[in-house]
Amino acid sequence: MANVETALKEATTSIDGVLGAALVDAGSGMALGTIGGGKDLDLTVAAAGNTDVVRAKLRTMEMLGMKDEIEDILITLGSQYHLIRLMKGRGGSGLFLYLALDKGRANLAMARHQLKKIEAELEV
C-alpha cells in the first residue's frame, strides 16, 4: 500500500510524459498532494477546476438517469492530455487522481493502465 506522496512519485517515474500529478478531494476541490507542475501548470488551480468537471459529469449522468460509474475522464488539448481518475474503495470515495501529460511523449493507453494500478495501491 502506498501513501499519497509515494503514489504521486510513482506516477511521475512510471508514466512517460507526466507534467504534474495531484490527488484531489472532489468535495472541496483541494489538492491533498501534488508533484510537478510549475508556472505554466498550477496544480492547485487545476485541482479546483477539474473538480468542476467531475461534478458536471456526475450531474449530467444523474439527469440522464445513468446508473454507471465514471472510470476516468480524458481532456485532450493541443499539446497535453489531462486525465482524471475517480477513486473507488478503501476510503478513496470522493477523491480523484489528476495527471497532466505531454501529448508528444505520453502513451495514453499505458498512462491509463499505470494510473489504474497506482489507484489500486494507494492507501488514503
Side-chain angles (χ1 to χ4, degrees), residues 12-75:
T12 62
T13 58
S14 68
I15 300 172
D16 291 336
V18 173
L19 302 171
L23 176 66
V24 183
D25 179 337
S28 67
M30 297 286 292
L32 305 177
T34 64
I35 192 165
K39 68 179 178 78
D40 294 331
L41 180 62
D42 184 332
L43 290 171
T44 57
V45 172
N50 284 306
T51 298
D52 291 338
V53 170
V54 170
R55 288 178 186 160
K57 186 58 189 173
L58 289 170
R59 198 170 40 251
T60 302
M61 289 173 62
E62 183 179 341
M63 290 185 322
L64 291 170
M66 297 176 78
K67 305 292 184 212
D68 210 343
E69 294 180 346
I70 298 171
E71 186 173 323
D72 58 38
I73 298 170
L74 171 64
I75 300 166

Side-chain angles (χ1 to χ4, degrees), residues 16-19 74-82 100-108:
D16 291 336
V18 173
L19 302 171
L74 171 64
I75 300 166
T76 304
L77 306 176
S79 63
Q80 297 176 3
Y81 293 122
H82 290 225
L101 302 158
D102 179 308
K103 197 172 173 181
R105 295 185 301 135
N107 177 322
L108 188 54

